[in-house]
Amino acid sequence: MTDHPLLAVEDLVVEYPTPRGPFRAVDQVSFRIERGTSLAVVGESGSGKSTIARALVRLLEPASGRILLDGTDIAHLPERRLRPLRRRIQMVFQDPYGSLDPHLTALQTVAEPLRLAGMGDRAERLRRAAELLDRVGLPNSALERRPAEFSGGQRQRIGIARALASGPDLLVCDEATSALDVSVQAQVLNLLRELQKETGVAYLIIAHNLGVVREISDHVLVMRLGGLVETGPTESVLATPAEPYTRALRRAALDPAAVRGRKPRALLTAALEGTRP
Ligand SMILES: Nc1ncnc2c1ncn2[C@@H]1O[C@H](COP(=O)(O)OP(=O)(O)OP(=O)(O)O)[C@@H](O)[C@H]1O
Ligand SMILES: [Mg+2]
């Protein structure tokens, strides 16, 4: 054991190149995630949530700042040194349709990261993949099917099994449930919670729906325009938000239309402007 938090992000700055020069999508953001806990990241469209996620799994290299995984700064590590650490932070993507390889069976999809990580022999990898798929509730008869033959919720479960295959310490879920209908969304959230209890995996969960945030997270981080607006324990931030922006976000989310998943962004904009959508 060490004294380091699982993840400590310090003064993270992420920029995208544009024809008009670098665009700063994340500006000086700092936060921590302890082992086995969940941090939700909320904020309106374009506030920099996915950019943070992409930097954490190093799909992007930050312009500056530190990303300390168990005390090791991975923000600028070259690929060669990053490779052995990559399995420790895994990502579940938003789109359950586009994020799976259409040619691979469910079993192959989950076994693939094990192969890439050089874990076990082929038979062991397939056995482990079958266990994981069983764990996320996919029937045995479905192991040899390909993505086109699954529902959105089933695909999301395969994506979760794939992300868990390498035994990560942190799972980054970028709106992993927002493409699903409400009852399937609830099932996937239950699954994530159970898996956390069993394995001690930590989550960073990007969500629009504050109901989801309340269900799944211990801490919440509110983003606006690339900057951190407010952060703290989920219950206190949602019960007594200190910032007007967080209050507006909560008002929008309490609207029953938003709870049913209709147009949360339009509702948020309306709440921010003090009008009805
Ligand atoms: N590849 C890119 N090139 C230039 N700008 C980008 C790129 N990707 C994102 N941006 C800009 O960076 C900002 C943050 O984008 P990001 O995708 O992180 O937002 P988000 O909070 O995830 O939004 P959403 O809720 O819509 O998914 C936005 O202003 C966006 O236009
Ligand atoms: Mg996004």
Side-chain angles (χ1 to χ4, degrees):
M1 279 312 284
T2 64
D3 297 336
H4 299 294
L6 174 63
L7 185 83
V9 172
E10 297 176 353
D11 303 318
L12 183 69
V13 175
V14 188
E15 295 177 339
Y16 292 106
T18 76
R20 298 164 305 287
F23 172 77
R24 187 166 283 206
V26 172
D27 193 11
Q28 300 280 342
V29 169
S30 303
F31 60 90
R32 294 172 160 230
I33 303 179
E34 301 293 340
R35 284 175 188 72
T37 68
S38 302
L39 173 74
V41 178
V42 302
E44 67 196 320
S45 185
S47 57
K49 306 180 299 293
S50 295
T51 304
I52 291 177
R54 289 184 208 118
L56 292 187
V57 296
R58 276 294 307 273
L59 288 171
L60 292 174
E61 183 172 349
S64 64
R66 308 209 297 165
I67 300 173
L68 298 158
L69 178 64
D70 241 341
T72 302
D73 188 2
I74 62 165
H76 305 285
L77 278 190
E79 185 56 40
R80 179 177 51 80
R81 294 186 49 208
L82 199 55
R83 204 167 302 131
L85 299 173
R86 281 200 182 276
R87 65 160 199 88
R88 300 188 52 192
I89 306 183
Q90 289 288 314
M91 185 144 163
V92 180
F93 293 90
Q94 169 168 16
D95 174 13
Y97 294 90
S99 59
L100 300 179
D101 183 333
H103 306 294
L104 298 184
T105 67
L107 199 59
Q108 288 165 340
T109 300
V110 178
E112 182 64 8
L114 295 171
R115 190 181 67 78
L116 291 176
M119 292 161 88
D121 61 25
R122 188 165 177 281
E124 281 163 0
R125 292 195 295 266
L126 290 177
R127 186 156 19 87
R128 170 99 181 112
E131 269 169 28
L132 280 159
L133 285 165
D134 179 56
R135 183 60 203 83
V136 299
L138 217 70
N140 230 312
S141 58
L143 297 183
E144 299 299 332
R145 286 200 237 142
R146 286 169 220 282
E149 302 170 72
F150 289 110
S151 70
Q154 287 174 323
R155 286 176 217 213
Q156 206 54 282
R157 287 163 189 271
I158 297 169
I160 291 168
R162 175 178 61 181
L164 286 172
S166 59
D169 300 314
L170 176 65
L171 208 57
V172 177
C173 302
D174 191 354
E175 309 207 31
T177 64
S178 49
L180 307 174
D181 73 44
V182 176
S183 72
V184 181
Q185 190 170 321
Q187 289 170 21
V188 173
L189 288 176
N190 275 334
L191 173 65
L192 288 175
R193 259 204 315 257
E194 283 170 20
L195 291 169
Q196 184 165 60
K197 260 190 243 147
E198 286 166 27
T199 66
V201 65
Y203 295 134
L204 181 143
I205 295 196
I206 298 172
H208 270 102
N209 183 329
L210 291 198
V212 168
V213 171
R214 211 171 263 125
E215 279 287 306
I216 194 92
S217 67
D218 307 296
H219 290 85
V220 63
L221 187 163
V222 183
M223 292 286 297
R224 184 180 201 194
L225 300 172
L228 189 158
V229 172
E230 182 168 9
T231 185
T234 303
E235 250 175 62
S236 56
V237 170
L238 294 187
T240 49
E243 296 296 323
Y245 179 68
T246 313
R247 284 200 285 277
L249 205 64
R250 190 181 65 154
R251 256 199 322 279
L254 288 174
D255 190 302
V259 173
R260 284 198 302 273
R262 278 204 282 125
K263 293 191 290 182
R265 287 174 199 172
L267 287 159
L268 173 58
T269 310
L272 284 169
E273 291 165 355
T275 57
R276 298 294 304 170

